[in-house]
């Protein structure tokens, strides 16, 4: 799946590179686009300017908008077996949200620069954030609850 600032999502078959579908979304949704499929494929989370948009993958219909009142969403990852979606923002904030309800579970100021990437441990019990300054803060995640740990760099 790929996105662009013009608000277009494209699905491509990884094995052959064939275009599967294209969905044109509302242009104003997107700025710094990040994407994450729900673990069971029920939605695509698309990071935009101050919000995360949950989109139905087959039609591109908006399921829910989760306003973050933060900076642009640069990174997205699921934790807690898909129960939580974590958004990393350009202002260094991390926002775990409940995708089912759209509730923001908490907001944490993790870093002074942008959180450019998030990766989940295979066990689902930890996150690493790639930050603008090159540091890699590590977070422990137990049942979807996230707490900052010692930075790796």
């Amino acid at each position: 799946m790929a996105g662009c600032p013009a608000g277009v999502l494209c699905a491509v078959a990884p094995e052959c590179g064939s275009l599967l579908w294209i969905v044109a979304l509302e242009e104003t949704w997107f700025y710094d686009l990040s994407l994450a499929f729900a673990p069971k494929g029920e939605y695509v989370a698309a990071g935009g300017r101050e919000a995360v948009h949950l989109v139905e993958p087959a039609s591109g219909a908006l399921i829910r908008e989760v306003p973050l009142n933060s900076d642009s969403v640069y990174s997205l990852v699921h934790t807690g077996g898909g129960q939580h979606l974590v958004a990393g923002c350009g202002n260094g904030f991390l926002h775990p949200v409940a995708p089912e309800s759209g509730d923001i579970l908490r907001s944490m100021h993790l870093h002074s620069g942008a959180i450019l990437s998030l990766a989940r441990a295979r066990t689902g019990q930890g996150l690493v954030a790639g930050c603008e300054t090159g540091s890699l803060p590590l977070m422990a995640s137990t049942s979807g609850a996230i707490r900052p740990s010692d930075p790796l760099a």
Side-chain angles (χ1 to χ4, degrees):
M1 171 149 287
C4 70
V8 176
L9 296 178
C10 302
V12 177
E15 58 280 347
C16 62
S18 297
L19 184 64
L20 299 176
W21 52 260
I22 297 174
V23 175
L25 302 170
E26 213 176 297
E27 187 173 335
T28 57
W29 284 3
F30 302 99
Y31 182 65
D32 298 308
L33 191 63
S34 54
L35 300 169
F37 266 103
K40 295 178 184 170
E42 62 270 28
Y43 64 84
V44 176
R49 193 179 317 174
E50 300 182 355
V52 174
H53 302 91
L54 304 182
V55 178
E56 203 282 321
S59 68
L62 178 65
I63 298 169
R64 176 175 294 108
E65 178 180 48
V66 182
L68 298 177
N69 299 320
S70 196
D71 201 353
S72 296
V73 178
Y74 283 83
S75 52
L76 293 164
V77 69
H78 286 90
T79 64
Q83 294 176 336
H84 302 109
L85 177 67
V86 181
C89 297
N91 60 359
F93 273 85
L94 198 67
H95 303 281
V97 301
E100 291 289 321
S101 65
D103 293 336
I104 299 171
L105 303 175
R106 64 189 288 200
S107 294
M108 298 184 308
H109 192 249
L110 182 66
H111 198 269
S112 60
I115 300 174
L116 301 175
S117 60
L118 290 167
R120 176 180 52 83
R122 252 190 334 203
T123 62
Q125 297 302 309
L127 289 176
V128 176
C131 297
E132 186 174 42
T133 60
S135 66
L136 296 169
L138 180 65
M139 289 145 293
S141 172
T142 315
S143 303
I146 299 168
R147 60 179 171 77
S149 179
D150 294 327
L152 298 177

